[in-house]
Amino acid sequence: DKFHVMKYVYDGVQQVRLEIRKELFSTMPKGKRNPKDEIVLSELELLKKTKVPLSRSKDLWSEEQKKIMNYLFENYPKLKTAYDLAQDFKQWYDRKNYQKGYLQINKELHMWLEKLEEVKQFEPASKMIQKHENQILNYFKNPQTNAKAERLNGKIERFLSNNYGTRDLDFTLYRIKGYFA
C-alpha cells in the first residue's frame, strides 16, 4: 500500500530528527544552565516543531515553518539530506509517473535506493521496499491504491469496537449492511 510505504520513508526522516534531538539533549549539563544552554534549548524546541513539516512538501509550509526549516537545514545537513531523499521518493511515487516505461521506473527506484546508503536511518525503509519491490512497481501499471478499502475496513473495525464486538454474526452483518449502505 502506497500509504504504508511512504510512512516507512517518513519514519526514516523522523529518526534522523530524533537522533539530532538526542545528541543536543546529551550536550546539556545536568546542573545549572548557562546562556549557551538556552541556544540548545531553543534548537530542541525547533526540532520538536518540525515533525509535521518534515512529512510535507515545501510548498505546503507556512512562512514560520519555512524559516524554521531553513535554519535547521543550514545547521543540520543530515536532516536536509534525509528530507530531500524522502521528497525524491515522493516525487518518484507520484501518480503521473505511470506514463514512464517500467524499466525507467525500476531504474529510478534503484538509483534512489543507492542514495539511501548515505543515511542509515532509512535502512528499514530500504529493506521493506526491496522486499516488496514488485508490488510497489505494480502500482505504476494501474495507478490506484486500496485506500478506499482500507478506510472501509477501519470504519467496520470502529463500528465493531463501539458496539463491543459481536455475539450474533448474522445480526452484526445485518447492522453493518444497514450502517454502511
Side-chain angles (χ1 to χ4, degrees), residues 82-102:
Y83 176 78
D84 289 342
L85 283 170
Q87 292 304 306
D88 288 347
F89 187 74
K90 184 177 179 181
Q91 288 176 345
W92 174 85
Y93 217 158
D94 192 359
R95 172 182 213 121
K96 298 172 199 162
N97 290 335
Y98 83 94
Q99 296 171 344
K100 295 180 180 178
Y102 184 83

Side-chain angles (χ1 to χ4, degrees), residues 12-128:
V13 178
Q14 295 301 326
Q15 284 299 107
V16 171
R17 180 184 70 87
L18 291 174
E19 284 187 14
I20 292 171
R21 282 191 73 205
K22 186 186 268 186
E23 289 172 15
L24 281 174
F25 198 72
S26 67
T27 63
M28 298 276 296
K30 301 278 188 220
K32 293 183 179 180
R33 294 188 178 146
N34 58 35
K36 191 177 183 181
D37 295 335
E38 296 302 320
I39 296 170
V40 173
L41 284 173
S42 68
E43 288 193 4
L44 283 169
E45 189 64 31
L46 289 178
L47 283 166
K48 189 176 182 182
K49 291 180 180 181
T50 61
K51 183 176 183 177
V52 173
L54 285 172
S55 60
R56 289 182 162 179
S57 299
K58 289 180 181 182
D59 55 331
L60 297 176
W61 292 347
S62 68
E63 289 302 316
E64 181 185 354
Q65 289 173 335
K66 286 178 184 177
K67 290 176 187 175
I68 291 171
M69 296 309 294
N70 288 333
Y71 173 78
L72 290 174
F73 285 165
E74 287 175 14
N75 292 321
Y76 304 103
K78 190 173 184 181
L79 185 63
K80 181 171 179 23
T81 302
Y83 176 78
D84 289 342
L85 283 170
Q87 292 304 306
D88 288 347
F89 187 74
K90 184 177 179 181
Q91 288 176 345
W92 174 85
Y93 217 158
D94 192 359
R95 172 182 213 121
K96 298 172 199 162
N97 290 335
Y98 83 94
Q99 296 171 344
K100 295 180 180 178
Y102 184 83
L103 293 175
Q104 177 67 25
I105 291 171
N106 193 6
K107 180 182 173 185
E108 289 175 4
L109 175 63
H110 286 281
M111 287 172 33
W112 183 80
L113 286 170
E114 288 176 13
K115 291 180 189 177
L116 287 187
E117 295 171 5
E118 301 173 26
V119 185
K120 69 176 173 97
Q121 289 82 359
F122 280 99
E123 190 173 319
S126 175
K127 286 181 180 178
M128 190 274 305

